[in-house]
Amino acid sequence: MSDRPVYVLAALLVLLASGLFAYKYFVLKVPLTPNLQVKAWDVEVRVDLRAEGGPAKVSFYLPRPNGVYEVADERFISGDFGLGIRRFVDNRLAVWSVRRATGRKVLFYRATVRPARAVGTGAAANPPEVSSPEFTAAERAAADQLLRNAQNQSADLETLTEALLRELMGRADDNLTLLLGESPDLDRKLQLATRLLARAGIPARTVHGIQLEQLARNARRVEWLDVYYGKQWHSFDPVTGEQGLPDRYLAWWRGNNPLVRVDGGLHLNTQIAVTLNQESALMRTRTPGGLLDFSLLSLPVQTQAVYHVLLAVPIGVLLLVLMRNFVGIKTFGTFMPVLIALAFRETQLLWGIVLFCTVVGSGLAFRFYFERLKLLLVPRLASVLIIVVLLMAIISVISYRLGLHRALSVALFPIVIMTMTVERMSIVWEERGAREALEQGAGSLFVAALAYLVMQIEPLRHVIFLYPELLLVILAATILMGRYTGYRLTELIRFREFGGGKRP
C-alpha cells in the first residue's frame, strides 16, 4: 500500500487541529498557561435616598461595553423596588420603581469590569444627527464670536475642537460669562462645548466615566468630550484639549443628564466604590452562548476532573509507541505501562514502583505454584486474580498498621492488569527464560514511570484539556509511526557489528 493516503490523512488531521487551535487561541483568547490572572475591577454603586411616602422611581445609568472595557456579572440589590433596563443608542438605563415607599432606601448595583477582548475603534454605524441648539440673540452673538475665534486658530475639525476647548477653559471674558454665568463648573463648560459644536454642524457629546483605581471608596468621576468626524467618534480631554483617553478610564454614560435621577424621593446620595480584583484568564473567555459552551468546560466540575486525567492518556500512549517502535523497549501488554502510570498518580512514583514489584513478584511465586497443579487457563487466571486481591489487601492492612498511609493506595492498582502482567510474565519466564521476563518487566516499569512523569506535567495537561483538538496531532503522529518499519534504536546497538562497529 502506498504511503500517500497515510500522509494525506495525517496532514488533514494536523490542519484541522491547527485551525481549531488558532481560532480558540487568537479569537477566543483561551489561555495556554494555567492559573493565568488578568486584571478586573469590582465596581459598586450605592444610592441612598429618602422616599416621600408615595410612588418612587430611580433612574440610574449603567456602564456599557465601549470597546475598551466590558461589563460582566451585573448584580442589582433593590429590595422592594422593581427593576427594568432600557437600552438607547448611547446609554443603558436601569429604572427602579415602587408603588409606595417610605423612609430611607438604599439601592446597590455591582458589576465586574475587565478589559475588552476586542478593542473598539469608536466607529459609528450611522452619522449622528445634529440638533440646532437654542440661544437668545445675545447668546447667539457670543457663541458665534467664540466659534470664529476657534476657527481662526484651527485648520481642521481636530484643531477646531482643541481651540474651542482652550477658549472655554481659558480666562473668562464677557462672551463666556454671558453663556456660562459666574464660576461655571466643568460640566457646564462641556455642555456649552457640545452646543457650540452643534451650532457649527459638528456632532458632539459629553461622556461621563470613572477612573478605575486599585482601591477607591468614592471613585473620581471624569468627564470627556466626544466629537464625531471622519466616520467615528474622537475623545478629547476638556482640560488639556488633547485627544485620546487616559489609562483605566471607564466610560459610563453619555449626555448631559445626571447619573441618578429620583422621582418621589429626597436627599439623594450616590457613591461609586472601585476595587481591583484578579480573575482567571480562563473565566474571561467564557461568554454565555459562545463556542466554549460546547467544550469540556461546560461539563460538571467532577466530570471535568475525570477528563483532565483521561485526556492525558493519549500522551502516555504516544510515548509508549515511541518506546516500543523506535527505541525497542519491550513491555508486557500494549497499554499496561500507561494504566500502571495512571495508578502512580495516587501512589506517587517511588511507592508505586515498590508496590508494583511487591504485588507482581508475590503473584509470580503463586503463579509458578499453580503451574505445578496443572490448572486450566480460566481457573488459573481466576486464582491469580484472587491472589492479587489478597496481596493488595494484606499490603494495605500491614502498611496501615505501620503508619505507611501512602501504601494504602495500592488498592488503586488495576487488578485485572496486574493479574495479566503476572500471567504474561510467568509465560515468558517459562518459554524464554528468566532474563527475558525480567527485561520485559523492567521495560514495562520504565515506560510506566516515564509516562507518569510526562502525564504529570501540569502545563501540558492544561493545554490538552482546553485544546482537546491537539489530540488529532497525536493521532496523526501515531498513524505516521504506524508505517515505520525501520530499525529500532536497541537493534542498531545490537547489530552494530554488522556495520563495522565494535560491540559496546
Side-chain angles (χ1 to χ4, degrees), residues 198-270:
R199 179 163 177 77
I202 304 170
R205 63 190 182 188
T206 304
V207 182
H208 308 265
I210 61 170
Q211 195 74 36
L212 295 173
E213 303 174 67
Q214 185 169 3
L215 177 63
R217 297 183 60 185
N218 196 0
R220 182 167 59 93
R221 301 187 192 183
V222 181
E223 277 71 34
W224 224 251
L225 179 66
D226 268 3
V227 181
Y228 184 86
Y229 59 86
K231 297 183 179 180
Q232 62 180 356
W233 290 100
H234 300 266
S235 301
F236 289 85
D237 185 335
V239 178
T240 64
E242 296 177 353
Q243 188 175 351
L245 292 171
D247 294 334
R248 300 192 303 276
Y249 173 73
L250 173 65
W252 197 293
W253 81 100
R254 297 169 177 85
N256 298 326
N257 295 325
L259 173 63
V260 182
R261 189 178 61 196
V262 176
D263 296 322
L266 299 171
H267 308 301
L268 175 65
N269 183 30
T270 306

Side-chain angles (χ1 to χ4, degrees), residues 125-144:
N126 299 307
E129 296 181 357
V130 182
S131 302
S132 179
E134 295 182 357
F135 288 107
T136 63
E139 290 174 342
R140 191 180 307 112
D144 290 342

Side-chain angles (χ1 to χ4, degrees), residues 329-446:
I329 295 178
K330 298 178 181 178
T331 62
F332 287 122
T334 306
F335 302 114
M336 186 276 281
V338 178
L339 297 176
I340 296 298
L342 287 177
F344 285 170
R345 293 178 60 254
E346 302 298 331
T347 63
Q348 302 301 312
L349 184 58
L350 181 59
W351 272 104
I353 294 175
V354 171
L355 294 173
F356 178 84
C357 293
T358 303
V359 174
V360 172
S362 303
L364 195 60
F366 283 96
R367 170 64 179 78
F368 286 142
Y369 176 72
F370 293 148
E371 182 65 25
R372 294 183 179 181
L373 300 179
K374 305 298 180 183
L375 301 177
L376 296 176
L377 176 62
V378 175
R380 188 179 67 213
L381 284 176
S383 301
V384 174
L385 187 144
I386 294 171
I387 290 297
V388 169
V389 173
L390 287 173
L391 287 172
M392 294 168 65
I394 292 171
I395 291 174
S396 296
V397 173
I398 294 176
S399 60
Y400 178 73
R401 300 302 300 177
L402 295 177
L404 304 174
H405 297 287
R406 179 65 68 180
L408 294 174
S409 54
V410 70
L412 299 173
F413 273 122
I415 298 172
V416 175
I417 295 299
M418 299 290 282
T419 302
M420 295 307 297
T421 301
V422 172
E423 178 67 15
R424 289 288 304 275
M425 193 169 183
S426 66
I427 293 175
V428 173
W429 192 301
E430 292 169 355
E431 294 179 352
R432 303 181 187 177
R435 180 177 178 180
E436 179 70 17
L438 293 176
E439 283 183 356
Q440 291 196 23
S444 301
L445 207 53
F446 172 74

